[in-house]
Amino acid sequence: MIDPFTSSIALPLIAPSILAADFANLGDDCKAAMDAGADLLHVDIMDGHFVPNLSMGPAVCGACRKACPDTYLDVHLMVTDPQMYFKPFADNGANAISFHIEVVDSENHARELADELRQMGVAPGIVINPPTDVEKILPVINAFDLVLVMSVNPGFGGQAFIPEVLTKAQAISKLLKPTQRLEIDGGIGTKTAPLATNAGIDMLVAGSSIFGQPRDQWAAIIQNLRGPKS
Ligand code: DX5
Ligand code: ZN
């Protein structure tokens, strides 16, 4: 299993979002995405309250863990009360758990939640939505291993990339240590991936641009997302 936070890891990391996978064959799709060269899997969790959609729960994360015992699982909680889901997802194989800055009460609250995840052996991540000012997240990013910049308004796969978020990515990127990752999620494909990496992003979530294509194209797509130098 990779450790996404070592300074020596080859970047960018490619994290297919299983939100776009074939739910009727989820284990096979997870294995095929990893066999096609993905670095880890992104697990999009939605509560129908913080975002207007429901996606999957801890048992689905556990099913992915069973299908892919050695795969790093990057869980993205798009939920109003992330703390209630920390243990259920940690118990179901989550390696990283990210929650939204929009749902925390204060900077201290964000840091406390990050510490709680670390005590569970889970890497903490903080997420910022497109309309949220970057000033909201800058004071706390040193408490997290992962910062996720949303490039769509969360809730659904297959949406159009919002390029304005790249300014935020650039501002955050300057403040991160080599052992922290800057991730982007939403509308990432072969055209938008270079825009993201040029803005300092080093971890790309891609749902429909991978799982929305025939399986025999996934290896080429993943390679293309990595960019020319890889
Ligand atoms: C939004 C989801 C999506 C998903 C990726 O709530 O988080 O961004 O991961 O979807 P695509 O890659 O299809 O835009
Ligand atoms: Zn996500």
Side-chain angles (χ1 to χ4, degrees):
M1 181 181 291
I2 65 163
D3 172 0
F5 308 108
T6 52
S7 50
S8 58
I9 196 161
L11 299 170
L13 301 176
I14 309 301
S17 164
I18 67 167
L19 183 74
D22 173 1
F23 282 9
N25 296 288
L26 185 56
D28 288 345
D29 264 10
C30 289
K31 281 185 274 196
M34 296 308 293
D35 291 345
D39 296 289
L40 65 158
L41 292 175
H42 186 80
V43 183
D44 274 317
I45 305 304
M46 301 175 186
D47 65 356
H49 185 261
F50 179 66
V51 293
N53 194 6
L54 278 170
S55 62
M56 57 195 90
V60 178
C61 183
C64 293
R65 170 56 65 227
K66 192 161 166 252
C68 300
D70 301 324
T71 295
Y72 196 93
L73 299 180
D74 165 35
V75 173
H76 173 194
L77 296 180
M78 290 164 271
V79 304
T80 301
D81 181 0
Q83 192 174 19
M84 73 183 277
Y85 296 104
F86 287 175
K87 189 166 183 332
F89 279 97
D91 291 348
N92 276 279
N95 298 105
I97 293 178
S98 298
F99 55 89
H100 276 255
I101 192 73
E102 292 87 6
V103 301
V104 301
D105 305 331
S106 66
E107 293 174 17
N108 279 343
H109 185 212
R111 291 194 184 92
E112 283 160 13
L113 293 178
D115 285 346
E116 185 175 336
L117 285 167
R118 287 191 197 286
Q119 281 157 36
M120 292 178 180
V122 174
I126 191 75
V127 194
I128 185 169
N129 275 338
T132 305
D133 191 295
V134 73
E135 290 306 323
K136 188 122 163 80
I137 203 170
L138 293 182
V140 299
I141 59 174
N142 59 358
F144 292 87
D145 290 339
L146 169 65
V147 180
L148 171 51
V149 175
M150 290 304 292
S151 38
V152 296
N153 287 298
F156 300 90
Q159 300 180 80
F161 181 77
I162 302 173
E164 288 75 9
V165 307
L166 294 175
T167 314
K168 279 195 275 191
Q170 284 164 328
I172 296 165
S173 172
K174 291 192 186 91
L175 303 173
L176 295 182
K177 300 190 291 284
T179 53
Q180 291 178 292
R181 293 283 73 85
L182 182 55
E183 187 176 30
I184 197 163
D185 179 3
I188 294 298
T190 48
K191 288 193 176 51
T192 51
L195 304 178
T197 50
N198 289 340
I201 297 277
D202 55 27
M203 198 163 165
L204 302 172
V205 174
S208 45
S209 64
I210 296 174
F211 288 116
Q213 302 307 317
R215 211 182 258 188
D216 62 7
Q217 294 177 18
W218 292 0
I221 293 167
I222 289 169
Q223 191 54 33
N224 190 299
L225 291 174
R226 282 195 203 290
K229 35 188 184 308
S230 56

